[in-house]
Amino acid sequence: MKIRKSLWMEYAILVLVTLVSGGARYLLWDDLGLKGEFPPETIGFSFIFLVLSWEFFKGMERYMNRILPYSKGLALRISVQLVIGAVYMLMVNRLLFMVAGKYLEGSLSVMFSMTTYATFATLSFLINSIFFGKYFFQEWKKSLLRAERLEREKTQVQFDNLKNQLNPHFLFNSLSSLHSLIMDRPALASEYVTNLSKVYRYVLVHETKVTVPLREELEFIGHFIFLLETRFGKGVDVKIDVSEESKSLGIVPVSLQILLENCIKHNAIDPDAPLRINVTAEGNSLRVSNSLHPKIQVMESNGRGLEDLKKLYSFLSNEPVQVISSESEFSVIIPLIPHLS
């Protein structure tokens, strides 16, 4: 279908050029001092000439792509194609002079002949330039796609590295909390282990997925919140308010864990002044906000978490990740996107 549409467009342009050039010849016929009346059949001859020339140049482009592709030598390929095109057009020009001789008075002046040859050589250059331009445009698009793919892969690697960096740190803290529970509260320790295993199972199951339904991410984050609340007690208060409609939209796996970890990492935990974290859905976006209890010194932070999250979402959504900070609250708003498997 695409090829047929392209062919119709090519021939529509050829018809237009034929009619314009035919009209110009008709208006200038007497001014050029040509013999007889303007012959209408020359319009048909012009169309045939244009079609044959266009098909010749198209065929030459395909043939040259096989025997001398641009990748083997750009300058050589362009030079050879220009020379072949110019020779072809000059031969056609000579043939046209022979056929049109009956309309010309006497012999042609040197200036007229040189001008005509130059015009046909220029026409050859212009037609070839269409194919050269098409090649450079396609290469430009390929380079953009390659750059985007490389940036996407780089960002994904950074995000994966971020998750890997968080996991050992999180595991160390979790095991420390578990150690203190085993002797004092064995029942709670058992429940703690169950939730911890579900957290890591989720990470392993979804590590290769682009997005997951928000419903699954919230179920996972429930286990994660249990670990936080067990570890910090009343020092952390997490509330979630998300509509059923929003839960069907997609989110990058572990995004919420990273945002919650970010809240814990940058704020002091005090049971007398709990760190309040709210997870809410606002249309097609999810907001994670926390009260501010900034730590004097933040340990084990590379400062890249939110930046990598922004880059990753920039490839998946037209809506950016927003970071909003005030004197009392810090919020991150991430777009919810159609679920991609």
Side-chain angles (χ1 to χ4, degrees):
M1 186 66 182
K2 186 177 180 181
I3 296 177
R4 183 178 298 177
K5 182 179 179 181
S6 175
L7 192 64
W8 273 105
M9 185 175 295
E10 290 175 7
Y11 276 79
I13 294 174
L14 293 179
V15 170
L16 180 62
V17 172
T18 300
L19 294 176
V20 171
S21 62
R25 286 199 305 274
Y26 173 76
L27 295 174
L28 299 174
W29 188 261
D30 293 333
D31 295 336
L32 293 174
L34 300 172
K35 295 189 295 183
E37 297 294 327
F38 172 75
E41 64 269 17
T42 59
I43 296 179
F45 292 149
S46 296
F47 180 70
I48 294 173
F49 159 70
L50 287 174
V51 169
L52 292 177
S53 297
W54 177 250
E55 292 299 332
F56 170 82
F57 279 94
K58 281 176 61 179
M60 178 177 65
E61 172 77 8
R62 288 193 293 266
Y63 181 69
M64 294 293 289
N65 284 340
R66 291 198 302 269
I67 66 169
L68 185 61
Y70 291 98
S71 57
K72 287 189 176 180
L74 185 60
L76 178 61
R77 164 63 186 272
I78 292 177
S79 300
V80 171
Q81 192 160 327
L82 286 175
V83 170
I84 295 175
V87 170
Y88 167 81
M89 293 299 282
L90 293 177
M91 291 174 59
V92 170
N93 180 53
R94 185 60 184 169
L95 179 62
L96 289 176
F97 274 143
M98 293 172 59
V99 174
K102 61 181 179 179
Y103 299 110
L104 304 173
E105 294 282 359
S107 59
L108 299 174
S109 67
V110 175
M111 180 60 70
F112 183 82
S113 297
M114 294 297 294
T115 301
T116 306
Y117 281 122
T119 300
F120 273 68
T122 302
L123 182 60
S124 168
F125 174 79
L126 292 176
I127 295 176
N128 271 319
S129 295
I130 295 174
F131 296 107
F132 298 153
K134 181 180 178 182
Y135 166 76
F136 286 119
F137 179 70
Q138 290 176 339
E139 288 300 304
W140 175 71
K141 285 203 303 184
K142 289 178 183 177
S143 67
L144 287 181
L145 291 174
R146 279 196 298 268
E148 182 180 349
R149 187 182 69 251
L150 290 174
E151 185 66 21
R152 185 195 300 267
E153 291 174 352
K154 175 185 174 183
T155 305
Q156 184 62 59
V157 168
Q158 291 173 333
F159 193 67
D160 290 341
N161 288 339
L162 176 65
K163 290 188 292 185
N164 291 334
Q165 290 169 4
L166 284 173
N167 287 340
H169 178 240
F170 169 68
L171 179 60
F172 174 79
N173 290 326
S174 297
L175 292 178
S176 297
S177 299
L178 178 62
H179 179 266
S180 63
L181 290 173
I182 290 175
M183 297 301 295
D184 299 331
R185 305 174 68 184
L188 182 58
S190 176
E191 189 176 358
Y192 190 91
V193 169
T194 300
N195 281 273
L196 181 62
S197 66
K198 289 181 178 179
V199 165
Y200 276 95
R201 184 177 184 278
Y202 178 87
V203 173
L204 293 173
V205 169
H206 297 91
E207 64 179 349
T208 61
K209 293 186 177 180
V210 179
T211 67
V212 295
L214 179 57
R215 181 177 288 101
E216 293 185 17
E217 180 82 356
L218 289 174
E219 183 180 348
F220 148 73
I221 212 65
H223 302 302
F224 183 75
I225 290 172
F226 176 86
L227 300 180
L228 291 180
E229 291 178 342
T230 302
R231 177 181 166 194
F232 297 110
K234 295 182 178 180
V236 175
D237 180 21
V238 183
K239 287 184 171 56
I240 297 176
D241 183 14
V242 177
S243 67
E244 287 299 320
E245 182 180 358
S246 297
K247 290 179 181 179
S248 62
L249 296 173
I251 187 173
V252 175
V254 198
S255 293
L256 277 179
Q257 180 199 5
I258 290 174
L259 293 177
L260 291 184
E261 280 279 3
N262 193 63
C263 297
I264 301 298
K265 185 185 300 181
H266 293 276
N267 290 277
I269 307 298
D270 184 356
D272 297 327
L275 175 64
R276 303 190 186 281
I277 303 174
N278 294 305
V279 180
T280 57
E282 301 175 352
N284 290 334
S285 62
L286 191 74
R287 176 190 287 262
V288 178
S289 57
N290 64 271
S291 55
L292 285 179
H293 308 277
K295 289 181 178 179
I296 298 177
Q297 184 177 6
V298 179
M299 301 299 293
E300 301 183 23
S301 176
N302 57 18
R304 295 292 306 170
L306 288 179
E307 289 303 315
D308 290 340
L309 203 63
K310 287 180 181 179
K311 286 184 179 180
L312 184 60
Y313 271 93
S314 70
F315 294 115
L316 301 175
S317 173
N318 294 325
E319 299 296 326
V321 172
Q322 300 179 57
V323 178
I324 303 172
S325 182
S326 66
E327 292 183 359
S328 59
E329 187 177 75
F330 181 85
S331 299
V332 178
I333 302 174
I334 58 177
L336 296 175
I337 52 185
H339 172 48
L340 304 173
S341 58

